[in-house]
Amino acid sequence: MYKEITVDRSLLYIEQHHVDTFQSIAKKLDEYSYLVKEGAISKEDAWIIAFNAWLMLLPDEYHIIQSVDKMIYYSANFLIYNAVKKDVHFQNLKYRKDATPELFYLSSLYIATGINEWILLVLKKYNLIEMLNRLKKSKYFDAHKRTEKEIEMFIVDQAKFVKAAVMELSTNSLSETIKKCCDDAYFLYKEKFLKSKS
């Protein structure tokens, strides 16, 4: 499913080589694809979250910035991505001195599933189940290509979700999710990659 990742479906300004690099790592580490799971959105769309998480883990000199054009449509994602980027556990992972491409890749898969599950938690906790039903019917990251009426509905849904997500972000639930994702990724990395080096 990582083959569905395209420059157009990313929420960050990127070039084709970013997609190619991620897909090359994904192909090499295909046995870990099972880590990306369905939650509020499909597994296919969860791969886009994984890709965006991986982009955020790249060193700062890559100057990966948010797409201003897509902020209009995907305000909920930018709210979550900004919270994740500022999270202490994510920061600790990003700036690990011993980090490798494999660790960042595994982490991005865990983080994608964690975010997807967190979104589901917010939808359920704040009674937004009708939104969940709409999410299941279409490709989330192609929402900006829909009809004008569908885009309007999507933007209304985004606004409702942002309101709920802001309330949920005042709790520790997302930070706890990110901590678990980072820990799980490191333990798996340690077991599968560090043992083979020693």
Side-chain angles (χ1 to χ4, degrees):
M1 289 203 180
Y2 56 82
K3 291 175 183 165
E4 298 289 326
I5 297 166
T6 62
V7 169
D8 186 51
R9 294 184 90 201
S10 175
L11 299 185
L12 305 168
Y13 282 125
I14 56 161
E15 294 172 22
Q16 186 59 44
H17 72 87
H18 294 110
V19 175
D20 296 342
T21 302
F22 183 84
Q23 288 181 339
S24 169
I25 297 168
K27 187 176 179 185
K28 190 174 104 181
L29 301 177
D30 191 46
E31 67 197 91
Y32 301 103
S33 292
Y34 72 91
L35 295 172
V36 178
K37 296 183 172 86
E38 192 167 305
I41 62 173
S42 71
K43 192 185 281 194
E44 183 181 327
D45 281 317
W47 274 100
I48 308 299
I49 297 175
F51 178 58
N52 285 309
W54 177 80
L55 289 167
M56 291 189 300
L57 284 166
L58 291 178
D60 293 335
E61 60 264 22
Y62 280 77
H63 302 296
I64 304 291
I65 59 169
Q66 297 172 349
S67 167
V68 177
D69 301 339
K70 291 191 180 164
M71 278 186 179
I72 299 162
Y73 304 104
Y74 301 98
S75 53
N77 293 78
F78 288 110
L79 175 75
I80 294 167
Y81 288 161
N82 287 331
V84 170
K85 274 198 317 195
K86 291 175 188 167
D87 185 82
V88 66
H89 311 294
F90 185 86
Q91 289 283 314
N92 288 343
L93 171 67
K94 180 177 173 115
Y95 296 109
R96 276 188 81 97
K97 296 277 188 253
D98 61 346
T100 64
E102 291 84 6
L103 176 60
F104 282 167
Y105 176 73
L106 293 176
S107 299
S108 72
L109 302 188
Y110 273 108
I111 289 168
T113 295
I115 289 173
N116 207 357
E117 289 170 352
W118 186 82
I119 293 168
L120 184 59
L121 170 126
V122 172
L123 291 172
K124 288 178 175 176
K125 184 173 176 179
Y126 295 91
N127 284 332
L128 299 171
I129 296 302
E130 78 286 347
M131 196 183 302
L132 180 61
N133 296 333
R134 284 192 287 279
L135 283 170
K136 297 285 184 191
K137 290 178 185 168
S138 55
K139 289 185 178 181
Y140 180 83
F141 287 101
D142 288 342
H144 61 286
K145 297 177 182 175
R146 297 178 192 167
T147 66
E148 198 173 319
K149 191 177 176 185
E150 288 170 331
I151 289 172
E152 280 176 26
M153 174 59 87
F154 183 78
I155 290 172
V156 167
D157 280 350
Q158 288 281 297
K160 287 180 189 171
F161 182 84
V162 165
K163 190 176 175 184
V166 166
M167 287 191 277
E168 189 60 26
L169 285 170
S170 68
T171 74
N172 264 346
S173 64
L174 184 62
S175 186
E176 287 166 6
T177 297
I178 298 305
K179 179 185 187 317
K180 183 177 182 335
C181 293
C182 293
D183 288 348
D184 289 349
Y186 187 72
F187 292 137
L188 181 64
Y189 169 74
K190 199 172 161 187
E191 180 191 335
K192 299 292 184 181
F193 294 91
L194 293 185
K195 274 187 180 174
S196 61
K197 288 179 183 175
S198 52

